[in-house]
Amino acid sequence: MASSFTRILSSKRNVGILSLVGGSVAAGFLLHREHVTAGEPLRRRYPASAEYPDLRKHNNCMASHLTPAIYAKLCDKATPNGYTLDQAIQTGVDNPGHPFIKTVGLVAGDEESYEVFAELLDPVIKERHNGYDPRAMKHPTDLNASKIQSGVFDERYVLSSRVRTGRSIRGLSLPPACTRAERREVERVVVDALSGLKGDLAGKYYSLTVMTEKEQQQLIDDHFLFDKPVSPLLTCAGMARDWPDARGIWHNNEKTFLIWINEEDHTRVISMEKGGNMKRVFERFCRGLKEVERLIQERGWEFMWNERLGYILTCPSNLGTGLRAGVHVKLPRLSKDPRFGKILDNLRLQKRGTGGVDTAAVGGTFDISNLDRLGQSEVQLVQTVIDGVNYLVECEKRLEKGQDIKVPAPIKQF
Amino acid sequence: KAIMPFGNTHNNFKLNYKVEEEFPDLSKHNNHMAKVLTKDIYAKLRDKQTPSGYTLDDVIQTGVDNPGHPFIMTVGCVAGDEESYEIFKELLDPIISDRHGGYKPTDKHKTDLNFENLKGGDDLDPNYVLSSRVRTGRSIKGYTLPPHNSRGERRAIEKLAVEALTSLDGEFKGKYYPLKSMTDAEQEQLISDHFLFDKPVSPLLTCAGMARDWPDGRGIWADEEDHLRVISMQKGGNMREVFRRFCVGLQKIEEIFKKHNHGFMWNEHLGYILTCPSNLGTGLRGGVHVKLPKLSTHPKFEEILTRLRLQKRGTGGVDTASVGGVFDISNADRLGSSEVEQVQLVVDGVKLMVEMEKKLEKGEAIDGMIPAQ
């Protein structure tokens, strides 16, 4: 038996032999095939060390944590839908750094990405979310707007108030990985649910593919329209594929509650108003979100959420609450004070230009919002913004009167 | 269970959805892919993949993301490997036919890199012809193409290409400049020599995945849209010399790759296999920068070009417009005629157009010189 086996093994013909003939032991063997059957991938394979990206000139969270060892461990894994590590990190490989902020440098293709690639994602999450440890901590969710104290700002300083978050539909892949059919299904599920909103939340959907010129202009004037992403942070992650298929904007008739469909996340939910009534903005935000959730649950769907990471979104920076609550506020004097940065830090706030994350401030008017997303609840974060903005406006008033200001003690985080 | 790496679990997962649900919306599109792709073809090919895992959706993504181009009718699809042209032939053959003047699946393409077969070409008037250039691409057999290759593979291609090229000597001796470790001084020099290529910004290329991991594995001599782009050029009008150096250099390079057991991708139907179907055949673009301020404003300019089987571009390349009456004039065909034949068309055509320009300068008519259909 041994000699016939050796003869088979040494034959030059590359044939798959499925059973060993003869003897009392029948065994199945598959010899190495040179010509594979259709559908079975045969591809030149390189060791992980040959595939490991060159990150020496990179400065993003992914590059800070992706060691050759972690890469080797995760590079041949895939989520059940087939999303891989290389896909997750592509945006960070292609975009070494950003002038204003340290970017995350990776995205999730689906809910399972956060589990399958946890070895890389957990330290990235910890760095990005200021020490929140997904392996040890739980994230609190609280959308009870009645707990908010004060929250109506001085409108001589605060020009507008806004709260946004995102929600993903469980069971469908996220924008970096979704197929056209999945993306269309997200649109269908969400638009169907939104059509059930009533009262001050009742509204209309504008699909990007069938929008009229007039509708488009109106949405631009209202500052509602989102564009095809041009930022390479998004395009390199595959989020602009098939544009504008299955993308659209929904807003209520009063133009105070707005939902983006299939841009950087399945949905982005925005509540906003001119002026300083952050309390009302947040109240509508919570009410709207809970209604939408009820409506999709009626239809058998739910949002992606777990107690380790809170609401699951495409970018790890938006985990937890995914919430950014902010105001456009005039701080011409305070912003020139050398202590401005430290004051913001201690209040756990961040500044942006009024054009959004990639812009600089114009004319002393800033976008001020919460720094944190994960580890604190929605109510806690909005309260932090309210308290912080009140403090900033106080400082501005004091500086106007020629009085001095104090840097507040740093707020405890978690 | 996923077969990793490069398993195609994701494509199999898509098959859970019906054809109608996955079929792209091409109603606003105007490229070759959009004209050819029907739901039937999509249904037939969507569950297929090449041995390296390239799928139909990979092939067409760039065409879905880029509905049309203002100056040219784009192809709207790319190959991820040599086998793409086989596995997806039901889509690619009609596209190749549309793009290459009716080229049939049964046609054979001839290769002729014997520069001695070129007649003339050494006497284009340097007062009009500012520079001459011949370029082509080559793909190295056994590797996947830029839309699909991984970092490991791209680096292996770079390594092999550099080994081959640094073994060249005589008039072909040279140096490799890897993009990622180029000094500022080297970069300046390469820019002023018009050698440096930039990270692709055209969405035609970025949507096909060709800019991934930039600048890893890229350098001058290797790897932009194709594994290798080979360019011979010089100032003035001696196209004959440019073509000679092109042919000799290419053949030397090919010999070296063959010695390393990696010849170029080629077959007798499609000629040289490249990433974009528009570059199949010779992959050759032979052209000049030529001053034609009067001829270019003549009402019959486009027609003259068509009859001469030439095309015009701006001096910045395919996506640009001309500046100051200086045009980039090159052969329009790639597949179905040989290298010598295509360069001959350029030589003869440019010579004629310079004569026409001179006539127009003197205020004379050129109608008698326009070639018959």
Side-chain angles (χ1 to χ4, degrees):
Chain A
M1 195 165 104
S3 58
S4 60
F5 183 57
T6 336
R7 243 183 292 128
I8 291 165
L9 282 177
S10 65
S11 106
K12 286 214 180 339
R13 257 186 335 140
N14 289 306
V15 176
I17 298 177
L18 289 173
S19 62
L20 197 60
V21 175
S24 54
V25 177
F29 282 91
L30 195 68
L31 290 184
H32 175 69
R33 286 166 173 259
E34 228 169 39
H35 305 284
V36 293
T37 52
E40 208 178 282
L42 171 71
R43 184 172 168 165
R44 177 177 299 278
R45 286 164 179 250
Y46 297 86
S49 55
E51 292 287 2
Y52 182 73
D54 183 348
L55 301 171
R56 290 171 295 171
K57 294 196 177 116
H58 287 59
N59 179 38
N60 55 50
C61 296
M62 180 277 293
S64 298
H65 295 281
L66 183 67
T67 61
I70 292 181
Y71 183 80
K73 200 163 170 192
L74 299 179
C75 70
D76 59 359
K77 296 202 182 345
T79 67
N81 297 348
Y83 197 67
T84 65
L85 179 73
D86 277 331
Q87 288 174 292
I89 65 173
Q90 191 67 58
T91 179
V93 176
D94 289 344
N95 298 289
H98 189 281
F100 298 157
I101 50 183
K102 182 169 183 183
T103 46
V104 174
L106 57 78
V107 291
D110 48 26
E111 189 165 5
E112 294 81 359
S113 297
Y114 286 102
E115 301 310 313
V116 176
F117 307 120
E119 206 145 335
L120 172 62
L121 276 156
D122 286 349
V124 166
I125 289 169
K126 192 166 182 196
E127 178 188 341
R128 181 51 184 234
H129 292 282
N130 307 303
Y132 181 85
D133 186 353
R135 293 169 190 168
M137 295 161 81
K138 289 210 204 321
H139 169 80
T141 291
D142 184 357
L143 284 160
N144 187 346
S146 66
K147 294 180 184 170
I148 294 293
Q149 314 230 309
S150 99
V152 183
F153 301 118
D154 185 336
E155 299 200 346
R156 290 173 296 171
Y157 297 85
V158 175
L159 306 174
S160 62
S161 307
R162 182 181 185 269
V163 182
R164 71 87 161 148
T165 188
R167 290 290 186 264
S168 309
I169 309 295
R170 176 161 278 161
L172 295 168
S173 306
L174 297 170
C178 64
T179 73
R180 280 182 291 273
E182 284 185 299
R183 200 186 293 112
R184 291 164 181 169
E185 185 141 34
V186 168
E187 184 188 37
R188 216 175 10 248
V189 168
V190 175
V191 172
D192 189 41
L194 294 171
S195 65
L197 289 174
K198 300 192 190 338
D200 69 321
L201 294 177
K204 189 176 167 199
Y205 180 62
Y206 301 87
S207 147
L208 250 55
T209 50
V210 301
M211 198 180 283
T212 66
E213 292 264 345
K214 195 155 164 259
E215 288 169 334
Q216 185 174 303
Q217 194 52 53
Q218 186 61 51
L219 288 165
I220 290 172
D221 295 338
D222 290 330
H223 302 288
F224 284 175
L225 190 65
F226 61 87
D227 259 325
K228 176 171 179 175
V230 292
S231 166
L233 300 176
L234 299 183
T235 56
C236 293
M239 295 192 229
R241 287 170 305 127
D242 314 310
W243 201 274
D245 198 321
R247 272 81 167 194
I249 292 162
W250 181 98
H251 68 78
N252 67 346
N253 299 326
E254 299 181 15
K255 299 186 182 177
T256 54
F257 192 62
L258 165 70
I259 298 182
W260 287 352
I261 295 176
N262 285 320
E263 192 231 13
E264 182 182 332
D265 280 295
H266 283 175
T267 67
R268 282 289 178 93
V269 179
I270 303 157
S271 171
M272 60 214 264
E273 289 181 17
K274 286 226 178 308
N277 199 336
M278 178 61 93
K279 189 173 164 68
R280 187 166 62 207
V281 166
F282 186 57
E283 181 276 325
R284 187 171 50 246
F285 176 82
C286 293
R287 192 162 42 89
L289 268 176
K290 287 196 208 129
E291 254 308 277
V292 174
E293 182 159 26
R294 188 186 66 77
L295 288 162
I296 65 164
Q297 279 172 342
E298 258 177 19
R299 291 152 174 83
W301 297 89
E302 53 181 11
F303 291 142
M304 288 183 197
W305 180 94
N306 67 51
E307 63 174 8
R308 199 171 73 93
L309 298 174
Y311 288 101
I312 303 295
L313 294 178
T314 300
C315 181
S317 68
N318 283 322
L319 291 167
T321 59
L323 185 141
R324 194 169 90 85
V327 298
H328 283 187
V329 56
K330 291 199 276 203
L331 302 169
R333 284 172 184 71
L334 180 59
S335 57
K336 294 205 187 75
D337 191 294
R339 293 165 286 184
F340 185 43
K342 188 88 178 95
I343 293 174
L344 288 174
D345 283 347
N346 286 3
L347 292 173
R348 302 211 63 73
L349 296 175
Q350 65 173 204
K351 73 181 197 302
R352 298 182 182 189
T354 50
V357 67
D358 278 326
T359 66
V362 174
T365 303
F366 286 82
D367 177 314
I368 302 288
S369 63
N370 52 298
L371 204 48
D372 302 313
R373 304 263 185 278
L374 176 61
Q376 300 218 295
S377 75
E378 290 80 354
V379 164
Q380 287 171 313
L381 291 175
V382 172
Q383 194 64 61
T384 299
V385 172
I386 287 170
D387 297 344
V389 169
N390 279 331
Y391 192 92
L392 295 174
V393 169
E394 268 312 299
C395 287
E396 184 68 23
K397 286 175 175 172
R398 289 179 72 86
L399 289 172
E400 271 171 31
K401 293 188 220 145
Q403 295 168 346
D404 196 21
I405 57 172
K406 265 202 322 220
V407 174
I411 300 180
K412 200 163 77 86
Q413 211 193 319
F414 30 66
Chain B
K1 187 170 174 273
I3 304 165
M4 288 307 297
F6 318 122
N8 232 314
T9 316
H10 191 249
N11 196 54
N12 295 338
F13 160 74
K14 271 185 227 175
L15 300 176
N16 293 326
Y17 290 94
K18 300 203 280 277
V19 170
E20 300 74 52
E21 291 170 327
E22 284 292 355
F23 191 76
D25 179 353
L26 301 173
S27 51
K28 298 202 175 106
H29 287 58
N30 181 39
N31 56 50
H32 285 293
M33 181 278 291
K35 290 191 142 72
V36 169
L37 183 69
T38 60
K39 285 207 176 105
D40 281 339
I41 294 178
Y42 188 79
K44 203 156 172 205
L45 298 178
R46 70 193 289 237
D47 62 348
K48 311 237 175 312
Q49 57 194 45
T50 66
S52 75
Y54 207 62
T55 66
L56 178 68
D57 276 329
D58 291 330
V59 170
I60 66 172
Q61 190 67 54
T62 180
V64 175
D65 289 344
N66 297 287
H69 189 281
F71 299 156
I72 50 182
M73 170 89 155
T74 47
V75 174
C77 63
V78 291
D81 49 24
E82 188 165 8
E83 295 81 356
S84 299
Y85 286 104
E86 262 312 301
I87 305 267
F88 304 114
K89 64 197 328 293
E90 206 148 334
L91 170 69
L92 291 169
D93 280 350
I95 290 175
I96 288 168
S97 176
D98 281 348
R99 181 54 181 234
H100 295 283
Y103 194 77
K104 299 192 292 295
T106 47
D107 284 337
K108 301 257 182 288
H109 171 82
K110 55 186 151 153
T111 293
D112 181 359
L113 283 160
N114 189 346
F115 69 92
E116 278 160 359
N117 292 341
L118 185 72
K119 301 198 206 22
D122 51 356
D123 58 351
L124 298 173
D125 190 336
N127 291 317
Y128 294 83
V129 178
L130 306 176
S131 62
S132 309
R133 180 182 184 268
V134 179
R135 70 89 160 147
T136 188
R138 289 291 186 263
S139 308
I140 304 170
K141 205 166 171 64
Y143 293 97
T144 59
L145 297 171
H148 192 37
N149 54 28
S150 68
R151 282 180 294 273
E153 190 152 54
R154 201 184 297 113
R155 291 162 178 170
I157 292 163
E158 181 190 33
K159 186 156 179 274
L160 181 59
V162 172
E163 253 176 60
L165 294 166
T166 47
S167 66
L168 290 171
D169 62 12
E171 69 174 313
F172 295 107
K173 196 168 170 59
K175 188 177 167 197
Y176 178 62
Y177 300 87
L179 248 53
K180 71 175 170 184
S181 50
M182 201 175 280
T183 65
D184 279 341
E186 287 170 336
Q187 188 173 303
E188 276 307 312
Q189 186 59 52
L190 289 166
I191 290 174
S192 55
D193 289 336
H194 301 287
F195 284 172
L196 190 64
F197 61 88
D198 256 327
K199 177 171 178 172
V201 292
S202 167
L204 299 175
L205 299 183
T206 57
C207 294
M210 295 192 231
R212 289 171 300 126
D213 313 311
W214 201 273
D216 198 317
R218 274 85 165 190
I220 306 300
W221 274 350
D223 254 350
E224 184 210 14
E225 176 181 328
D226 287 296
H227 286 167
L228 303 176
R229 280 285 175 102
V230 180
I231 303 164
S232 167
M233 59 211 263
Q234 66 191 54
K235 288 218 180 309
N238 195 344
M239 179 63 93
R240 187 180 182 79
E241 174 55 24
V242 169
F243 188 55
R244 182 204 67 81
R245 193 167 54 242
F246 175 81
C247 293
V248 174
L250 255 183
Q251 283 163 331
K252 279 198 173 355
I253 294 170
E254 179 154 24
E255 262 166 48
I256 299 172
F257 275 102
K258 279 202 182 125
K259 268 205 215 110
H260 283 79
N261 284 320
H262 282 284
F264 294 145
M265 286 183 198
W266 180 92
N267 69 49
E268 65 173 3
H269 168 53
L270 295 176
Y272 288 101
I273 305 288
L274 295 180
T275 297
C276 181
S278 70
N279 282 324
L280 293 168
T282 60
L284 185 144
R285 196 171 88 82
V288 299
H289 283 186
V290 56
K291 288 195 279 201
L292 300 170
K294 292 196 159 38
L295 183 60
S296 59
T297 53
H298 190 286
K300 291 224 163 97
F301 184 47
E302 299 285 343
E303 207 182 316
I304 291 168
L305 285 173
T306 307
R307 291 187 186 189
L308 291 174
R309 309 210 57 67
L310 299 175
Q311 64 173 205
K312 72 179 198 302
R313 298 181 182 189
T315 50
V318 68
D319 277 326
T320 66
S322 105
V323 173
V326 180
F327 286 81
D328 177 315
I329 302 288
S330 63
N331 54 299
D333 304 322
R334 305 262 184 280
L335 179 62
S337 51
S338 75
E339 288 82 352
V340 167
E341 284 166 350
Q342 289 167 8
V343 174
Q344 192 70 64
L345 286 171
V346 175
V347 162
D348 296 345
V350 169
K351 198 158 183 206
L352 179 63
M353 290 200 291
V354 169
E355 296 304 313
M356 287 179 173
E357 181 73 19
K358 287 174 175 169
K359 278 228 177 229
L360 289 172
E361 272 171 27
K362 291 190 225 144
E364 294 169 15
I366 57 164
D367 299 298
M369 298 170 76
I370 296 177
Q373 257 301 19

